[in-house]
Amino acid sequence: MKAYQKRVKMPNRIVKAGHKVLALPICYDLFQTAVGSVKFRSNFVSENISKFKMENVLDLGCGTASTANLLPKGVNYIGLDTSTKYLEKARTRTADRQSKLILTDIADNEWTNEAGKLNAALGLALGIYHHINDYQLEETISNLSDVLQPGSKIVSLDPVIDSRTTKLANWFARNDRGQFIRDPEQFIEIFNSNGFSVKYEITRNSFRIPYDLLLITATKES
């Protein structure tokens, strides 16, 4: 298999300890608020996601389902994650809306039959792809190709490093819990091979910390 990702250097002990703390739902949510991710996601949903068809939304790696609260109440929300602790918090957060939370690895196809019945027209992968290796990414996009109907969208956000990335933004990206950083062209190749067309842009200084983000909108072709 062709290698797409640039595996970054493993972080030092202090950073590793911080990663363990972020495995706790309350610490994860507090960190997201502190760095400005919550405000950014709110603006992001309003400006980039609300324009798409949202009757049924599939959230890959939903975590504590913080994105669910940013969606209209009438949306049927389907969240996938591998963390039991995160999903426990997600159940509380989505108790007042139509939702289905599935404990699963997004690279496995066990969730596709269940999620496929819900006819999701929009998939979200916010800060997820850089946590999985090439094989897992290929399988994930293949699963989405099987589940989504023509015209459906997948919107994703992941850290990116390019020629304009500052040294500090580079450090934050390389010390993220996700260890797989990819270029836009590498994503395009994977999506194209699975029947998706791709548009992308890079945003900078969106958080309170220096952090460059790759925004991808992939559309399932007929």
Side-chain angles (χ1 to χ4, degrees):
M1 177 183 295
K2 182 178 178 180
Y4 294 101
Q5 83 272 2
K6 301 173 183 176
R7 182 156 190 165
V8 299
K9 184 179 179 181
M10 290 300 293
N12 61 41
R13 292 180 180 179
I14 296 176
V15 174
K16 284 183 179 180
H19 289 176
K20 290 182 179 180
V21 170
L22 290 176
L24 300 173
I26 188 172
C27 295
Y28 173 80
D29 285 343
L30 287 172
F31 176 78
Q32 294 296 311
T33 300
V35 300
S37 176
V38 173
K39 182 178 180 180
F40 170 77
R41 285 198 183 203
S42 179
N43 293 335
F44 177 78
V45 169
S46 175
E47 296 172 5
N48 296 280
I49 296 179
S50 60
K51 60 186 176 183
F52 298 133
K53 185 177 179 181
M54 288 197 299
E55 285 84 353
N56 300 296
V57 174
L58 181 66
D59 193 0
L60 305 181
C62 65
T64 60
S66 57
T67 302
N69 287 346
L70 305 177
L71 303 174
K73 286 292 184 182
V75 168
N76 186 24
Y77 178 83
I78 310 107
L80 311 177
D81 207 279
T82 58
S83 170
T84 302
K85 291 181 179 180
Y86 280 178
L87 289 182
E88 287 175 356
K89 179 64 178 291
R91 287 189 181 90
T92 301
R93 185 165 274 161
T94 59
D96 62 342
R97 66 167 60 242
Q98 289 185 320
S99 64
K100 188 168 190 63
L101 302 173
I102 304 173
L103 181 66
T104 187
D105 185 332
I106 58 175
D108 294 337
N109 63 7
E110 60 185 26
W111 60 268
T112 57
N113 287 334
E114 192 170 6
K117 296 175 184 176
L118 301 175
N119 297 316
L122 176 64
L124 304 178
L126 306 183
I128 300 304
Y129 295 148
H130 68 292
H131 288 279
I132 58 180
N133 63 31
D134 284 343
Y135 173 78
Q136 292 169 318
L137 180 61
E138 290 271 14
E139 292 298 301
T140 297
I141 303 306
S142 177
N143 288 340
L144 288 167
S145 182
D146 291 338
V147 168
L148 299 178
Q149 298 299 313
S152 299
K153 309 285 185 181
I154 306 170
V155 179
S156 64
L157 280 171
D158 277 281
V160 66
I161 298 172
D162 66 6
S163 60
R164 293 181 55 195
T165 301
T166 65
K167 290 183 178 180
L168 194 52
N170 187 308
W171 185 91
F172 276 111
R174 291 183 180 277
N175 284 277
D176 189 285
R177 284 191 294 172
Q179 293 294 298
F180 302 98
I181 306 294
R182 298 176 177 91
D183 296 329
E185 292 75 20
Q186 295 162 339
F187 278 109
I188 291 172
E189 184 173 346
I190 295 173
F191 274 109
N192 285 171
S193 66
N194 283 281
F196 292 91
S197 61
V198 174
K199 294 182 179 180
Y200 76 89
E201 63 179 286
I202 295 175
T203 68
R204 307 178 197 275
N205 302 317
S206 298
F207 293 170
R208 295 192 183 106
I209 58 174
Y211 209 68
D212 294 349
L213 289 168
L214 175 64
L215 162 61
I216 295 176
T217 302
T219 304
K220 178 70 184 299
E221 298 296 323
S222 57

